[in-house]
Amino acid sequence: MMNEKPDVLVTLPMFHVPLEEFANRFNLHSLWQADRPEELLQRLGPGCRAAAVRDNFTADMMDQLPGLGLIAVCGVGYDEVDVAAAIQRGIKVTNTPDVLTEDVADLAVGLMLAAGRRIVKGDRYVRSGRWVTDGQMSYTGRVQGQRVGIIGMGRIGCAIARRCEAFNMEIAYHNRNPRTDVPQAYKGSPKELAAWADYLVVVLPGGPETHHLVDSDVLEALGPEGILVNVGRGSNVDQVALIRALEQGTIGAAALDVLDGEPEVPAGLLAIKDNLILQPHQASATFETRRAMVELTFANVKAFFEGSALLSPIPEHGG
Ligand code: NAP
Ligand code: 8YV
């Protein structure tokens, strides 16, 4: 029938944004609510041409939906989607850049301040009564005027740099390629950047190329007063090396929004109390940004079914 709403597979809840408003236009199928996900995929079969996705989407799932033409990822990072398999099958992939940039940068700077000024430790100090029994808490280093090294000077990295300028910080960065359109100094390797920096902020994509880019050597170069902040992907940092570095005082402190193997947290990380701050992957989790991410995801789905240009195809499509 000409006017029938197109089927769209939705693999996971789109955060807390209700999907009813998109159901006017699309016939949404919630994979995570299906009693038998395999049966749902089989029933949808070649008739399902689009999927709205959070996190992973495998080649096997693509093969179960042979009519698929679009995977719309609700997130800027798409490292859990098998992009090579999608391209091989002629499937387009979109993501949600820009709409989350400023909120992620806010949390990164919040973590720098919290780790540098030991804000969480201070909260515990007051609540445990130590202010009364032990007097004033120990001093911390400064944030303002310090050196911040950003690994991943892309959209979010630049937004972090803009905020750091307001703190009179010196800023340098490392990417695979130096940028000609930013004023900050380029460092040729994560280790060189870490050796220069007081704060090392990681805001990288996931995947094999960035796996453990921050390793024991980089942490050693950051040094005993240095502070690591990760808002990229957990896999960017060698977590075993990080635990050791925090235990042994090789670095001063860390604040992590993302963990390798999240949401599981290794006991070694949980055991570190004073100089580690953990967040449950919250950097884009504001009402406004999450709504904008879901809207952009479905705007891409709409464009796909209308045959118009996709709003935010991933760079691998040349977009
Ligand atoms: P972007 O604009 O594409 O920036 C990524 C930057 O990383 C680019 O400057 C790129 O420069 C650099 N890069 C990529 N691979 C590299 C490598 N192997 N070595 C060194 N540098 C490399 O992306 P964005 O929008 O800023 O987002 C960045 C990442 O942040 C996402 O992919 C995601 O993993 C993470 N993120 C996390 C949250 C959260 O909730 N915590 C939210 C949003 C995003 P070159 O290409 O020159 O190397
Ligand atoms: C998402 C993120 O919240 O966009 C990204 O890459 O990491 C976050 O904004 C995350 O992908 C959860 O699905």
Side-chain angles (χ1 to χ4, degrees):
M1 225 167 55
M2 282 296 284
N3 288 328
E4 208 168 280
K5 291 189 285 186
D7 287 322
V8 176
L9 177 73
V10 184
T11 58
L12 279 172
M14 292 284 136
F15 310 112
H16 298 294
V17 177
L19 293 181
E20 284 75 29
E21 61 198 87
F22 306 104
N24 296 333
R25 189 178 282 273
F26 309 114
N27 202 3
L28 301 176
H29 301 273
S30 308
L31 189 65
W32 78 96
Q33 286 176 326
D35 290 335
R36 294 182 183 80
E38 290 298 316
E39 274 178 25
L40 172 60
L41 292 175
Q42 210 171 27
R43 185 157 52 78
L44 289 173
C48 180
R49 296 177 51 221
V53 165
R54 255 191 50 212
D55 304 336
N56 83 318
F57 205 88
T58 61
D60 185 47
M61 289 162 92
M62 296 173 206
D63 287 339
Q64 292 180 71
L65 301 172
L68 203 65
L70 176 71
I71 298 171
V73 180
C74 191
V76 68
Y78 48 89
D79 45 293
E80 291 191 53
V81 173
D82 190 337
V83 171
I87 289 172
Q88 203 181 33
R89 289 161 179 74
I91 302 170
K92 296 283 188 203
V93 179
T94 57
N95 64 346
T96 62
D98 300 317
V99 294
L100 42 65
T101 293
E102 303 300 327
D103 280 348
V104 178
D106 282 352
L107 194 88
V109 174
L111 290 176
M112 283 171 59
L113 288 165
R117 298 299 302 271
R118 305 292 196 267
I119 292 175
V120 176
K121 179 181 171 183
D123 178 85
R124 290 197 197 108
Y125 198 80
V126 175
R127 289 173 194 282
S128 67
R130 286 188 63 194
W131 195 10
V132 177
T133 56
D134 298 7
Q136 207 175 4
M137 192 174 96
S138 54
Y139 296 163
T140 71
R142 281 180 160 171
V143 179
Q144 62 93 7
Q146 300 295 293
R147 291 175 165 185
V148 59
I150 300 173
I151 310 188
M153 189 70 139
R155 288 170 290 247
I156 302 170
C158 287
I160 294 169
R162 284 198 299 279
R163 284 157 176 74
C164 291
E165 279 167 17
F167 286 90
N168 298 318
M169 298 183 87
E170 276 186 73
I171 306 162
Y173 72 97
H174 170 72
N175 278 354
R176 283 167 301 187
N177 311 296
R179 293 182 64 148
T180 52
D181 59 344
V182 300
Q184 289 87 17
Y186 177 75
K187 303 285 178 185
S189 71
K191 189 173 172 181
E192 193 190 331
L193 185 66
W196 172 87
D198 302 303
Y199 288 80
L200 187 66
V201 180
V202 181
V203 57
L204 285 167
E209 275 203 56
T210 57
H211 186 258
H212 291 189
L213 218 58
V214 175
D215 59 13
S216 54
D217 274 1
V218 173
L219 295 170
E220 202 176 330
L222 184 57
E225 305 298 325
I227 291 176
L228 175 76
V229 171
N230 189 6
V231 294
R233 286 287 180 264
S235 60
N236 302 151
V237 175
D238 179 341
Q239 222 157 248
V240 172
L242 176 62
I243 293 170
R244 204 178 317 119
L246 287 166
E247 282 170 353
Q248 297 177 354
T250 310
I251 67 166
L256 311 173
D257 184 47
V258 285
L259 297 180
D260 213 359
E262 65 186 42
E264 302 303 325
V265 189
L269 273 184
L270 289 175
I272 295 163
K273 296 277 186 277
D274 270 358
N275 56 347
L276 174 66
I277 296 172
L278 297 171
Q279 287 287 294
H281 203 144
Q282 283 291 95
S284 69
T286 65
F287 294 116
E288 296 90 341
T289 282
R290 285 286 162 85
R291 166 156 284 281
M293 290 165 68
V294 176
E295 283 175 357
L296 179 52
T297 302
F298 281 97
N300 275 304
V301 175
K302 179 167 171 280
F304 170 75
F305 282 113
E306 287 173 351
S308 349
L310 297 170
L311 281 84
S312 45
I314 60 169
E316 285 85 338
H317 294 308

